[in-house]
């Protein structure tokens, strides 16, 4: 299958989660294209889509939300999985549960959503981001569990194996040979 893996990442941590997902899906024989959501105009060329975003102040990044809105019809017409990456360390758990996920899952008919813990490096954050993080008392460090990411990607690969292969597109009528008869 040709799969779009669209990942919104502000400081590259969620992009790296996407790279692990891409590696697992490639190992299962899929053709993966990992792109930033703002670079996706439509999903017509893909058999399935995985869309993920970093979570800041309980929301997906705007680029991921906008892609989901822009491509909603195309997403609803194919298998879709969603994932999020946030700090998810106590007491910041609630702030990293994206508010829009339930509505998004329903709107695009996603087969699932998975949240992963993220990475916090205060040195790369803006002043405003550091202020939000300080208020949430989040712990610095890399809290990502790449084994859990790979396991989830394996589950997606198994689910994709059960999806019927897309029918080959017919050539335009003018290009087809006439039927003998």
């Amino acid at each position: 299958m040709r799969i779009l893996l669209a990942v919104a990442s502000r400081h590259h941590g969620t992009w790296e989660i996407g790279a692990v997902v891409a590696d697992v899906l490639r190992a299962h024989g899929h053709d993966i294209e990992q792109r930033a959501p703002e670079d996706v105009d439509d999903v017509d060329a893909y058999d399935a889509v995985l869309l993920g975003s970093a979570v800041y102040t309980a929301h997906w990044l705007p680029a991921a939300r906008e892609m989901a809105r822009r491509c909603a019809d195309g997403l609803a017409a194919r298998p879709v999985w969603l994932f999020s990456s946030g700090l998810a360390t106590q007491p910041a758990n609630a702030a990293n549960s994206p508010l829009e996920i339930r509505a998004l899952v329903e709107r695009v008919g996603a087969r699932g959503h998975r949240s992963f813990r993220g990475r916090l490096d205060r040195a790369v954050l803006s002043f405003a981001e550091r202020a939000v993080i300080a208020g949430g008392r989040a712990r610095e460090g890399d809290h990502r569990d790449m084994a859990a990411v790979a396991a989830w990607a394996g589950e997606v690969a198994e689910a994709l194996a059960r999806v019927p292969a897309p029918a080959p597109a017919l050539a335009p009528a003018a290009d087809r040979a006439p039927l003998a008869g």
Side-chain angles (χ1 to χ4, degrees), residues 24-48:
V24 170
L25 294 174
R26 278 189 196 99
H28 281 82
H30 297 290
D31 178 16
I32 309 300
E33 185 173 346
Q34 185 170 347
R35 299 176 67 189
E38 58 270 23
D39 296 335
V40 177
D41 293 323
D42 62 60
V43 296
D44 297 341
Y46 305 97
D47 303 312

Side-chain angles (χ1 to χ4, degrees), residues 4-10 13-19 21 33-38 40 49-56 59-68 75 80-86 98 100-101 104 108 110 112-116 152:
L4 171 63
L5 174 61
V7 182
S9 183
R10 190 172 285 166
T14 305
W15 186 265
E16 291 169 352
I17 288 173
V21 171
E33 185 173 346
Q34 185 170 347
R35 299 176 67 189
E38 58 270 23
V40 177
V49 176
L50 281 80
L51 174 58
S53 178
V55 177
Y56 285 83
H59 294 283
W60 267 19
L61 293 176
R65 294 192 315 259
E66 174 56 25
M67 182 195 146
L75 292 169
V80 173
W81 285 265
L82 308 174
F83 68 94
S84 303
S85 172
E100 58 274 315
I101 288 300
L104 179 58
V108 303
H113 170 259
R114 178 71 187 263
S115 290
F116 298 105
W152 176 75

Side-chain angles (χ1 to χ4, degrees), residues 40-147:
V40 177
D41 293 323
D42 62 60
V43 296
D44 297 341
Y46 305 97
D47 303 312
V49 176
L50 281 80
L51 174 58
S53 178
V55 177
Y56 285 83
T57 62
H59 294 283
W60 267 19
L61 293 176
R65 294 192 315 259
E66 174 56 25
M67 182 195 146
R69 186 203 60 74
R70 181 176 62 250
C71 300
D73 292 340
L75 292 169
R78 59 196 28 81
V80 173
W81 285 265
L82 308 174
F83 68 94
S84 303
S85 172
L87 295 177
T89 56
Q90 291 295 339
N93 270 352
N96 288 295
S97 299
L99 300 172
E100 58 274 315
I101 288 300
R102 182 176 303 163
L104 179 58
V105 166
E106 291 173 7
R107 185 171 56 240
V108 303
R111 295 179 180 216
H113 170 259
R114 178 71 187 263
S115 290
F116 298 105
R117 291 177 295 180
R119 177 181 72 195
L120 174 59
D121 178 359
R122 283 183 170 81
V124 301
L125 300 179
S126 69
F127 176 78
E129 291 170 331
R130 286 193 307 272
V132 169
I133 293 299
R137 298 187 313 265
R139 292 190 320 242
E140 189 154 4
D142 191 343
H143 305 283
R144 298 173 299 173
D145 182 347
M146 294 305 199

